[in-house]
Amino acid sequence: MSNNHFKKGELYSFITGKASTAIARRLQKKFNDSGTNLTIEQWSVLYHLWKQDGVSQQELCNATFRDKPSITRLVDNLEKLNLVKRVASENDRRINKIYLTKQSQKLQEQTMDLAEETLNEALNSVPTEKIEVCKEVLQIVYDNLK
Amino acid sequence: MSNNHFKKGELYSFITGKASTAIARRLQKKFNDSGTNLTIEQWSVLYHLWKQDGVSQQELCNATFRDKPSITRLVDNLEKLNLVKRVASENDRRINKIYLTKQSQKLQEQTMDLAEETLNEALNSVPTEKIEVCKEVLQIVYDNLK
DNA sequence: GACATATAGTTGTTTATACAACTATCCAAA
DNA sequence: TTTGGATAGTTGTATAAACAACTATATGTC
């Protein structure tokens, strides 16, 4: 059996990520409106650092699905904003360990609330069991392609 | 009942569009490997022009969910590649109508095949009915936020 | 017809992504 | 211990997105 369930007219939104783009834009707007001077991409790096900081840039690459130059520049910008600090590893001098600052620790609660709010708006009226199926499918898609 | 089905650890992939990013990267790789000198974003504009060309840049904005400067520059680059042509409208001189060239007409079949191939790889082993649920949820998400 | 307003498109700036090429450091095998 | 390959990170370049500010044209109202 073919998996070819996409008529031409349906290719588009899957490939362009229409839904996730809309979610990201909505969250960015909430950041801007609340005076949170942060891009979604910067937030996504902080998101992983809030779970654990002191990790290498390479670990941030893996966690955020970005390449090394992207992380270099995101960390550059986060450092300019005084939200993270590069600390050279003592054991391995190739490695920068990335630490949160006091300022970025304060941002966690507020921005996570806005993120949850955004997802609740996005998923308004969608039944729980359909959300679960959707999450499952998207995870398989990712696993199929990684 | 709250729609708050996202534990903190699950927020991330929905907001960042992990799955659609993976799909776009895979398709871009297929374009590159096949010598198709085209970005996914340029392709997404051509995608709508293959359905109908001679439309205004504003109509392309609506169709591709981009703002006007983004379309201006995508059309700039497509024009440099000789894939589209701007033609000033006779009725309304503010409007550029965008037309496909012979070269871009040739690209349609090949790139659509690569796009379908990509989606089939992405959705490998996902049952039809779950794909349908997923498409439905993503559409509702988009409608909820637009 | 004149003017205010809306619409279509462009340009400038900042941030981000992808890829290639590069430096510095580490490590393991000869 | 030397050397060659792997790993961590940076820099250069092209493309793209978002936002603000801008020009040009059209339109509706007085």
Side-chain angles (χ1 to χ4, degrees), chain B residues 73-87:
Chain B
R73 277 140 182 163
L74 280 170
V75 172
D76 285 349
N77 286 335
L78 286 167
E79 224 173 14
K80 280 182 206 155
L81 294 167
N82 285 311
L83 297 175
V84 306
K85 241 182 351 200
R86 281 179 169 96
V87 178

Side-chain angles (χ1 to χ4, degrees), chain A:
Chain A
M1 191 198 80
S2 158
N3 236 320
N4 186 351
H5 302 298
F6 282 83
K7 302 185 191 65
K8 285 195 166 42
E10 297 174 333
L11 287 170
Y12 186 81
S13 19
F14 243 82
I15 291 174
T16 57
K18 205 173 68 161
S20 59
T21 303
I23 293 173
R25 281 182 188 149
R26 173 67 62 95
L27 180 55
Q28 183 69 67
K29 192 162 168 15
K30 283 181 192 289
F31 281 0
N32 296 344
D33 291 351
S34 71
T36 305
N37 184 25
L38 208 56
T39 67
I40 299 302
E41 293 82 5
Q42 290 164 358
W43 175 82
S44 83
V45 172
L46 293 179
Y47 178 93
H48 289 283
L49 292 172
W50 286 321
K51 290 196 279 190
Q52 187 189 1
D53 70 347
V55 300
S56 68
Q57 295 187 196
Q58 183 58 53
E59 286 173 294
L60 290 176
C61 292
N62 301 337
T64 65
F65 324 113
R66 291 182 170 87
D67 67 359
K68 289 190 292 180
S70 297
I71 289 295
T72 292
R73 277 139 181 161
L74 280 170
V75 172
D76 285 348
N77 285 334
L78 285 168
E79 223 174 14
K80 280 183 206 153
L81 293 168
N82 284 311
L83 296 175
V84 306
K85 240 181 350 198
R86 282 178 168 98
V87 177
S89 165
E90 294 181 357
N91 306 330
D92 185 338
R93 294 196 301 175
R94 294 170 302 180
I95 293 178
N96 292 330
K97 296 191 169 182
I98 311 301
Y99 287 95
L100 294 167
T101 63
K102 281 182 190 166
Q103 276 173 270
S104 52
Q105 285 163 14
K106 285 183 209 153
L107 281 175
Q108 177 172 10
E109 191 178 355
Q110 176 194 357
T111 58
M112 292 300 253
D113 285 351
L114 292 176
E116 278 199 36
E117 193 179 295
T118 301
L119 285 174
N120 289 340
E121 289 167 13
L123 293 164
N124 181 37
S125 86
V126 182
T128 310
E129 63 275 15
K130 291 193 176 180
I131 296 175
E132 290 305 317
V133 172
C134 189
K135 276 158 55 175
E136 184 193 341
V137 170
L138 294 178
Q139 182 61 46
I140 296 174
V141 164
Y142 178 73
D143 291 336
N144 279 343
L145 297 180
K146 83 182 165 195

